[in-house]
Amino acid sequence: MHDTLAYLPQILPAYIAYIVAVVSPGPAIMAIIGTSMTHGRKAGMTLALGIFGGSLTWAIAAAAGLATLLQTYAMALELLKIFGGLYLLYLAYKAFRAVRTSGELPTAAEGPKTPSFKSLVLRGYGIHVTNPKAIFAWLAIIALGMPQGAPASVAVLIVAVCCATGFLAFMGYAILFSTSHALKVYRNARRWIEGAMAGFYCFAGIKLLTSNM
């Protein structure tokens, strides 16, 4: 344990880098915000749980050295990039359909129907795990906080602390944007919010499909 704590000066910059990454708006954060506003706190937190699972998957993969595998089999990364881009475009299509619905926000009794727990978790997981940039973010964090020759326990500590922070941040977004004030804002600007989400997902999907990694 003492050996691991000796690497704290290197771990701290990695932790700061993770905080900057997790609070920056992206497909995952936008999905949490939109779901929390549309379907409420429970749905938002459920989606956040799936997103956390995707983040944890990439964190463990980065710590285990998946980068070497992806570099060896470039086609695997290319397929993941294509699948992720198409998935984001699918989310853009769903958000665009929501824009075309009636301007009045339905009541809880008449809709919109809240997706099931399983579908929300899988949606959140899919958003994050199909984004190849997430693996590169985690690789940068691991590389920044774990100098050459550091024991494996350092990587474990980085993943544990960052993932705990990420879990709190994801859940915090869900709670914040499901408040009565957030719902009031959503009711007054529903079409604009759904339109912005559709545009964002479309932009992110096209950018991912056309990017060189």
Side-chain angles (χ1 to χ4, degrees):
M1 184 64 179
H2 182 270
D3 293 340
T4 302
L5 294 178
Y7 288 90
L8 283 179
Q10 287 78 30
I11 294 174
L12 184 59
Y15 181 63
I16 294 174
Y18 177 78
I19 292 177
V20 172
V22 83
V23 299
S24 301
I29 300 302
M30 290 295 290
I32 293 174
I33 292 174
T35 301
S36 299
M37 284 184 165
T38 308
H39 299 292
R41 180 170 301 175
K42 183 178 179 180
M45 294 179 73
T46 302
L47 185 86
L49 183 62
I51 289 172
F52 171 74
S55 181
L56 183 61
T57 298
W58 282 132
I60 295 174
L66 183 61
T68 303
L69 180 63
L70 290 177
Q71 289 171 0
T72 302
Y73 301 99
M75 182 58 70
L77 180 59
E78 190 66 22
L79 290 174
L80 184 61
K81 183 180 75 169
I82 293 172
F83 185 78
L86 292 176
Y87 186 71
L88 287 172
L89 290 178
Y90 168 71
L91 293 178
Y93 167 73
K94 293 191 67 175
F96 178 71
R97 284 188 60 187
V99 174
R100 299 182 62 186
T101 60
S102 174
E104 292 299 322
L105 185 65
T107 63
E110 59 186 9
K113 182 179 179 181
T114 301
S116 67
F117 177 89
K118 181 179 179 180
S119 65
L120 284 169
V121 170
L122 290 178
R123 183 187 301 178
Y125 187 82
I127 289 172
H128 212 62
V129 84
T130 58
N131 184 2
K133 293 187 177 181
I135 183 65
F136 290 108
W138 271 108
L139 287 172
I141 290 167
I142 296 295
L144 184 62
M146 189 175 180
Q148 187 175 8
S153 57
V154 174
V156 173
L157 181 60
I158 293 172
V159 169
V161 174
C162 288
C163 282
T165 302
F167 180 82
L168 293 175
F170 295 149
M171 293 300 172
Y173 274 114
I175 293 172
L176 176 63
F177 286 93
S178 61
T179 60
S180 57
H181 179 69
L183 290 175
K184 182 178 179 180
V185 171
Y186 178 76
R187 287 177 181 273
N188 293 333
R190 177 173 175 248
R191 285 182 177 271
W192 291 103
I193 292 172
E194 294 286 359
M197 289 184 63
F200 179 84
Y201 284 138
C202 187
F203 169 77
I206 293 174
K207 185 177 180 181
L208 186 57
L209 288 170
T210 58
S211 64
N212 293 319
M213 294 186 178

